[in-house]
Amino acid sequence: MANKNTLKQILEEKINKETIYKKVIKKQEKKPRRIEKWILIPICMITLCLFIEKKETKYQANENNNGIEKTEKEENYTNSNGKTYSLQEDTIYIPKESNENMILPFKIQLPKNLVEKKNLILYLQEEIYAYQKIYENDSQSQSIVITIFLDKIKKAEGKTEVIQNREYRIHKSSGSANRSIVQWDYKEQTISMEITNFKEEEIIKILKTIGEEK
Amino acid sequence: MAKKETLKEFEKVYNATYNDITKYVVCHCKNITDVEDILQNIYCSVYNILLKEKMITKEYMLGIAKHKIKDYYRFCYNEKWMTLFFNKEEQEYNYPSSINIEKSITLKLDTELVWNFLKRKKVIIFQIFYLYYVLELTIKEIASLLHLTESNVKHYLYRTLHELQEIVKKEEI
C-alpha cells in the first residue's frame, strides 16, 4: 500500500532528523578502539625494517685495491734467454712443454662484480697488457697463465671436484692452431688457464667464453 | 567528558544546528541520496570533537560540513542520475493555471513515487523542493542561496510539480 504524504512530509521522511541522530549514536557505540598515531608509526617502521631484504653480494669485497690481491713479496723468474722477470708470490709455474713455450703466471682475484663480464675483461686486460709488455722482446715467451679466483660462485655451486684439461681451441688468423688448457679447481676455487700464442683480442674471446659458461 | 555528558551536549548541538547544516548540505550536494550520508559524517565528526571536550561554534560546524562534503565527493563519482533534457537557459515557462502550490503542500502523495521521481531529476530541483517545502524559504531566498534568478526557481518548481501531477494521474489510472 502506497504511503501517502505531503511533499514536506516525504522530504522530511527521507532525510529524517531522528534517523540520522540514531545512526550517528549507533556508529559511535560500534566504533573500534583507535590506535594512536604515536604507536602506529613506530610499529610500521619496525615492520618495514624487518622485512627489508639486504642485498647479498656475490663476492666478498677485497679490502685491498678493488679486488686485486697483490703481495709484497715477489719471486723472480728467469726465462730461457736468461731474462729475469719479477713474479708475484704463490704463482703457479707451469714448466715448459715440448714446444718450449715459456709461461709467466700470475694470480689475480676477481673483482666484486664478476657477473659483469665487461669489467672482468677490462680488468684482465690491464694485466694482460702488463705482461705483454714483458714479453715484448721475448719471442719465446708467448703464453700467459691466468689464474682466477672464484669466491662465492663456486661455493654456491657446492662442487668440490676438479675438472681438468678442458680445452678450448681457437684458431688464429694466420692459420696456425693454438690451444688453451683450462683447469677448473673448485676446491681451491681457481681457474687456471694456459693460453699460448694468442693476441689480446683472442684472450678476451676465451675469457668471454668461460664467462658465458658460468 | 563522560559519555552521558557528551551525549547530552551532542543532542543540544544537533538540535541547534540541524536545520542550518542540512540547508548547507542540501545546497552543496551533488545528489539527493548523498545528503543523509554526508550529514551522518558531519555529526560523527562533531561527536568526536565533543569527546575531546572542545568547543563547537556555528562557523566551526560549517567548516566541518564543507570539508566533509569535499571528502565525500573526492572518492565518489559525481552524478548518479543524468537528465537528458533541461537547459539552464530556458524560455519563459507558462505556468499552467491548474498548478496550485498550496494544494501540493496538503496533497497526499506516494512517498516512494515522489522520491524516485526526484532522484531522477537534476539535483537542483531537489534542492529547491527541500528549501521550499521543508525549510520553508521564500523564492527570493532560494534564488540567492542557489545563485539563480527568481524566475529560474519558479520554472523549476512549477514545471516539476506539473510533471509530478502528470505522473500521479497516470498512477491513479
Side-chain angles (χ1 to χ4, degrees), chain A residues 154-165:
Chain A
K154 297 303 174 187
K155 273 184 185 172
E157 286 173 353
K159 292 181 187 177
T160 52
E161 293 172 356
V162 174
I163 298 166
Q164 290 178 345
N165 298 324

Side-chain angles (χ1 to χ4, degrees), chain B residues 50-82:
Chain B
L50 288 171
L51 275 172
K52 292 174 188 172
E53 298 184 23
K54 289 185 181 175
M55 289 295 292
I56 292 189
T57 59
K58 192 184 171 185
E59 290 75 25
Y60 192 13
M61 285 283 301
L62 285 171
I64 296 170
K66 190 178 174 185
H67 284 115
K68 287 295 171 187
I69 292 170
K70 248 191 208 173
D71 288 343
Y72 188 85
Y73 287 112
R74 195 173 291 160
F75 302 109
C76 296
Y77 54 87
N78 282 339
E79 282 187 26
K80 292 177 186 175
W81 299 100
M82 296 284 288

Side-chain angles (χ1 to χ4, degrees), chain B residues 25 27 49 52 81 97 103-104 107 113 131 150 169:
Chain B
V25 172
C27 290
I49 292 164
K52 292 174 188 172
W81 299 100
S97 56
K103 194 182 175 186
S104 69
L107 192 69
L113 181 77
L131 295 170
E150 286 183 41
K169 276 183 192 170

Side-chain angles (χ1 to χ4, degrees), chain A residues 182-198:
Chain A
V182 181
Q183 198 165 3
W184 304 74
D185 190 342
Y186 287 88
K187 216 172 185 179
E188 300 296 322
Q189 297 180 1
T190 58
I191 295 173
S192 300
M193 185 164 62
E194 178 196 335
I195 304 167
T196 56
N197 215 15
F198 289 123

Side-chain angles (χ1 to χ4, degrees), chain A residues 39-90:
Chain A
I39 297 171
L40 255 182
I41 292 169
I43 291 173
C44 291
M45 299 237 347
I46 292 165
T47 319
L48 265 172
C49 292
L50 286 172
F51 283 103
I52 285 171
E53 285 180 22
K54 288 180 187 174
K55 266 193 180 179
E56 281 184 13
T57 50
K58 282 195 173 179
Y59 307 93
Q60 270 177 358
N62 190 3
E63 284 168 7
N64 312 324
N65 224 355
N66 295 329
I68 303 168
E69 257 185 8
K70 284 190 177 171
T71 56
E72 287 173 3
K73 238 183 175 180
E74 285 184 345
E75 288 176 14
N76 291 332
Y77 165 73
T78 310
N79 69 358
S80 56
N81 285 346
K83 202 167 181 182
T84 309
Y85 301 98
S86 59
L87 301 175
Q88 292 172 357
E89 200 185 15
D90 69 2

